[in-house]
Amino acid sequence: MNRDDMNRDVTNADDTNHDDEKDGVTTRTIRVENVTRVEGEGGLDIRLRSGALDDVKLNIFESPRFFEAMLRGRPLEETPDITARICGICPVAYQMSSVHALERALGVDPGEEIRRLRRLLYCAEWIESHALHVHLLHAPDFLGYPGSLEMSRDLPEEVTRGLQIRKAGNALLDLIGGRAVHPINVAVGGFYKPPRRESLGRLVPDLEAGLRLAIDATRWVAGFDFPDFEQAYDTVCLVHPDEYPMCEGRIEASDGLSITSDEFESVFVERQVEHSTAMQSIRSDTGATYLLGPLARINGCRDRLMPVARRLADEVGLQTPCHNPYQMIVARSLEIVHAYEESLQIIAGYREPQPSRVAYRPHAAAGSAVTEAPRGMLYHRYRIDEGGAICEANIIPPTSQNQSQIERDLRSFLPGILEMDDDELAKRCESLVRCYDPCISCSTHFLQVRIDRGA
Amino acid sequence: METGGEVATRLVGVGSPHGDDRVGWAVASRFAVLRYSRVEAVTIASPIGLLDLLGEVRDRSRAECGKGPSGGNVRGETYCGETVRGGNACGAADRLIVCDAFAGEGPVGRLQRWDWPDSAIECVRSSGTHDVSLATALELAGNLGLLPASVVVWGIDVGPSPRLDPCGSAVGESSLPVALESAVGRLVWRLLQEVDGA
């Protein structure tokens, strides 16, 4: 029995999976206590009545993080370092959204060199995060393996390749960020200590090797057998006129929506649901769920991929707009190629920013920003007081925004597989959830507390 | 000064700069200061970094002297975190010792040793980022042919409710609780005996 089976099998031991019959109605309940091979802790509840789907819930039971509350009263300069602690996988995303929001509030323009260095740092995070998910968490699903351990016994070269792809990105992240986990070099206005041109140059051979490996890996992944399942997604991402979205742009949706980050909270609303400690998001204008992440970005901005990535997308036959969530692994792999290409381009033209940090005067202000975390749009909003302390913060991660869409996907997906036994059905659902590369730890950013003291 | 024996040892401290999770780094940092011959002390921030470390060492040992696997110069090594190097670089080590915190039953500061493979190691950092635990990382490394003949895991029990301290403090600041500070010292002593006895 492997670890995935152990987690799934808990339900049988507790007799949580069960069939009940009452008044001629048979209720079949399937519970996955812990969705495996995702970041954080989440479970699934699936309830069927007389053979038809009655309800499905993605349960997030990760404890709330209360980071927005923690930021109150702290100097604004501490925000990048504090928010980076929200996630060990995508700390750069939190730092980027925070500095962009604070700089917009303060009227700071860090300049082109800092902007490019920030994109380079984001490329490193995309490489590291995407490579780990593709090779260790998601690829086993397509090849019939319970997990990466079993896959590594039969396909050691492919797994090793994935780790090598990730490692070069990690080295870049470490160099620019000062540390790969919870980087410490990002500052409001720029960087504390930008890397020297020679230091970046030393990474070029391994980045070039990583690019070649990433191209091979994309071809490998594109050859997987993808389930025939499509959804009519409303995809949302940043769109920039000149570049593939990372730190800047307008927020655009496939239905034609185009807004700035200042309008975000009027269009995308969060709501608390009983079965999850993470809040869920829907469009306030349409009441609909929406999709963030690599597939949304590729659908909206394919023509802004770097040349090799764009050509590779054509070669592997990725049709866009794509509405098959299982193809997210291909989109993710293409973004790794893009990130490697862009990294090499930025390094080739790199000039050390002078100054490394643009000066600013703290004052009462408010600002918001959206940047593209590996999993999708990450929204930050801050209000600063006269002394430069944070007095209000709102952080909406991509995984919490994608929750509603994940549940909707499951509701559409399940009716087609209900004849399967519970174990196989649960595995198929977990695999669908993994398409999103959910970062459950990030998604529990805030919990509304209501106290009813009675009459 | 002891030589560290004939067995080449790589000592890896797993941890972070936050709260009680610093213990693995603290052990590696103190060992690095000793500069033991044939013992290389390294810190990593997550179990997945172990795969980076072992993979790079294998690539380095295969490559020409002074050149990396891609033909470029070998750069300063970092493995998902701050790197502390001490002693002489071992190349392909004969023994791997991993030190990490674990949330056990207590008492805080209790030392636990496991010889890999041992399924009990699941309790050590059992929920790493992206669900890659230390045990998973070791098993994966084994499947990829990256592990040396001898792998030992040392855990320092930080109790069921370890301090997390999200705002962090720099490695090197002596703000570990007394019980953990003592445990780090005791473990370094035990490790000295272990490498000397090889």
Side-chain angles (χ1 to χ4, degrees):
Chain A
M1 180 180 286
N2 58 41
R3 289 185 188 85
D4 284 5
D5 288 337
M6 286 165 69
N7 282 332
R8 199 173 297 112
D9 204 51
V10 166
T11 62
N12 292 331
D14 292 338
D15 198 27
T16 309
N17 277 17
H18 55 264
D19 289 356
D20 295 317
E21 183 162 351
K22 185 180 177 182
D23 299 330
V25 175
T26 303
T27 301
R28 180 182 171 198
T29 304
I30 303 161
R31 173 166 289 162
V32 179
E33 293 287 348
N34 272 290
V35 177
T36 55
R37 283 185 273 131
V38 296
E39 160 63 13
E41 297 184 30
L44 279 174
D45 268 336
I46 302 162
R47 191 172 65 221
L48 311 172
R49 288 269 166 84
S50 297
L53 180 65
D54 184 54
D55 198 12
V56 57
K57 293 190 175 77
L58 178 64
N59 302 316
I60 305 292
F61 38 80
E62 188 99 355
S63 21
R65 304 300 203 83
F66 300 125
F67 270 84
E68 288 116 326
M70 224 185 290
L71 284 165
R72 284 188 217 132
R74 307 294 297 205
L76 68 95
E77 289 79 13
E78 291 185 4
T79 307
D81 286 344
I82 293 175
T83 58
R85 265 71 164 169
I86 292 175
C87 185
I89 292 295
C90 48
V92 169
Y94 283 87
Q95 295 183 319
M96 290 298 108
S97 287
S98 71
V99 297
H100 279 82
L102 290 167
E103 287 166 2
R104 287 194 69 212
L106 297 168
V108 173
D109 179 1
E112 182 61 21
E113 295 305 333
I114 288 171
R115 196 181 81 80
R116 288 168 63 81
L117 189 57
R118 283 174 173 173
R119 280 189 72 91
L120 184 58
L121 183 61
Y122 231 148
C123 284
E125 178 160 279
W126 278 21
I127 290 168
E128 197 264 341
S129 175
H130 282 350
L132 191 136
H133 182 261
V134 167
H135 293 90
L136 293 193
L137 302 184
H138 206 191
D141 284 345
F142 295 96
L143 300 173
Y145 292 102
S148 58
L149 289 175
E150 293 79 5
M151 191 173 82
S152 66
R153 288 179 203 134
D154 292 344
L155 302 173
E157 288 185 11
E158 285 79 357
V159 174
T160 299
R161 180 178 60 199
L163 292 172
Q164 288 172 332
I165 290 169
R166 182 191 154 276
K167 191 172 66 173
N170 216 58
L172 186 58
L173 187 59
D174 188 73
L175 176 63
I176 305 171
R179 188 165 71 197
V181 177
H182 303 155
I184 52 175
N185 200 19
V186 175
V188 178
F191 289 84
Y192 290 107
K193 187 178 177 185
R196 298 177 69 86
R197 184 178 169 80
E198 309 85 76
S199 302
L200 284 170
R202 281 194 283 271
L203 296 183
V204 167
D206 286 330
L207 291 172
E208 288 171 341
L211 173 58
R212 290 191 290 273
L213 294 175
I215 292 169
D216 290 343
T218 303
R219 289 174 175 142
W220 174 62
V221 158
F224 289 170
D225 207 6
F226 297 105
D228 185 17
F229 173 71
E230 293 201 341
Q231 282 278 76
Y233 292 121
D234 177 21
T235 56
V236 184
C237 67
L238 283 182
V239 175
H240 189 279
D242 305 317
E243 58 196 17
Y244 198 73
M246 273 184 185
C247 296
E248 292 153 293
R250 290 183 65 84
I251 299 165
E252 295 191 5
S254 50
D255 68 356
L257 174 80
S258 179
I259 60 170
T260 66
S261 64
D262 294 335
E263 301 163 88
F264 183 97
E265 289 181 53
S266 64
V267 175
F268 303 103
V269 294
E270 289 193 291
R271 56 186 183 177
Q272 189 72 56
V273 295
E274 189 182 321
H275 58 276
S276 175
T277 53
M279 297 173 77
Q280 296 190 357
S281 295
I282 55 171
R283 291 264 303 261
S284 64
D285 50 351
T286 62
T289 59
Y290 56 98
L291 173 71
L292 309 178
L295 198 63
R297 292 191 288 258
I298 293 264
N299 278 355
C301 308
R302 179 181 179 146
D303 60 340
R304 267 143 281 183
L305 285 168
M306 293 292 288
V308 171
R310 194 163 68 240
R311 199 160 58 240
L312 188 58
D314 294 341
E315 178 197 311
V316 301
L318 179 69
Q319 301 292 324
T320 48
C322 177
H323 294 288
N324 185 336
Y326 292 95
Q327 298 257 10
M328 290 183 194
I329 195 172
V330 180
R332 225 164 252 123
S333 300
L334 285 166
E335 286 194 337
I336 296 173
V337 174
H338 169 91
Y340 265 112
E341 256 191 287
E342 184 166 353
S343 297
L344 289 163
Q345 181 187 66
I346 293 173
I347 291 172
Y350 177 70
R351 290 182 307 176
E352 206 170 313
Q354 297 290 347
S356 66
R357 260 191 301 163
V358 174
Y360 56 86
R361 182 184 64 80
H363 58 272
S368 63
V370 165
T371 69
E372 287 282 352
R375 291 154 192 79
M377 290 193 319
L378 169 59
Y379 170 78
H380 284 216
R381 174 176 59 79
Y382 300 98
R383 195 161 54 82
I384 310 163
D385 69 17
E386 201 51 59
I390 302 292
C391 46
E392 188 181 325
N394 192 15
I395 298 171
I396 305 178
T399 294
S400 63
Q401 295 178 69
N402 270 336
Q403 267 192 104
S404 301
Q405 186 61 63
I406 294 173
E407 286 185 349
R408 184 167 161 243
D409 275 11
L410 288 165
R411 283 192 200 97
S412 299
F413 180 68
L414 275 159
I417 60 169
L418 292 178
E419 76 286 356
M420 293 181 181
D421 63 47
D422 288 2
D423 197 49
E424 185 60 30
L425 194 147
K427 280 183 189 172
R428 299 287 183 105
C429 288
E430 283 187 89
S431 175
L432 179 56
V433 172
R434 271 194 286 275
C435 291
Y436 283 79
D437 184 13
C439 193
I440 293 169
S441 304
C442 292
S443 68
T444 53
H445 69 113
F446 183 67
L447 182 69
Q448 285 187 346
V449 178
R450 280 190 290 268
I451 302 172
D452 182 3
R453 298 188 187 277
Chain B
M1 170 70 78
E2 298 294 338
T3 62
E6 295 305 313
V7 176
T9 299
R10 181 161 287 106
L11 173 69
V12 179
V14 186
S16 76
H18 312 308
D20 297 346
D21 203 27
R22 280 172 290 154
V23 291
W25 284 17
V27 170
S29 299
R30 296 207 195 154
F31 221 94
V33 169
L34 298 172
R35 304 195 74 82
Y36 246 46
S37 173
R38 299 186 65 71
V39 177
E40 182 183 57
V42 184
T43 58
I44 60 174
S46 65
I48 197 80
L50 199 60
L51 294 161
D52 294 340
L53 169 66
L54 296 172
E56 175 143 346
V57 168
R58 179 181 65 181
D59 290 343
R60 184 170 11 121
S61 66
R62 286 175 180 171
E64 292 175 32
C65 179
K67 294 291 183 184
S70 57
N73 291 321
V74 175
R75 63 188 182 281
E77 293 90 351
T78 53
Y79 307 101
C80 305
E82 298 174 27
T83 300
V84 177
R85 288 216 173 272
N88 300 313
C90 295
D94 304 305
R95 172 173 52 195
L96 173 67
I97 300 177
V98 181
C99 303
D100 196 2
F102 74 101
E105 298 298 320
V108 172
R110 177 173 64 100
L111 300 181
Q112 179 77 46
R113 184 185 187 280
W114 297 274
D115 281 298
W116 177 260
D118 187 337
S119 59
I121 293 175
E122 274 294 343
C123 74
V124 181
R125 200 170 293 274
S126 61
S127 56
T129 53
H130 266 57
D131 200 35
V132 179
S133 65
L134 179 60
T136 299
L138 286 170
E139 191 167 345
L140 201 50
N143 290 348
L144 299 177
L146 298 175
L147 290 181
S150 168
V151 178
V152 173
V153 177
W154 276 96
I156 296 179
D157 194 338
V158 294
S161 303
R163 297 181 318 151
L164 296 174
D165 186 17
C167 295
S169 56
V171 172
E173 292 181 8
S174 53
S175 54
L176 281 170
V178 170
L180 292 180
E181 192 67 48
S182 164
V184 168
R186 283 186 284 115
L187 181 52
V188 170
W189 178 244
R190 294 285 293 272
L191 291 171
L192 284 169
Q193 293 175 310
E194 195 155 324
V195 298
D196 282 345

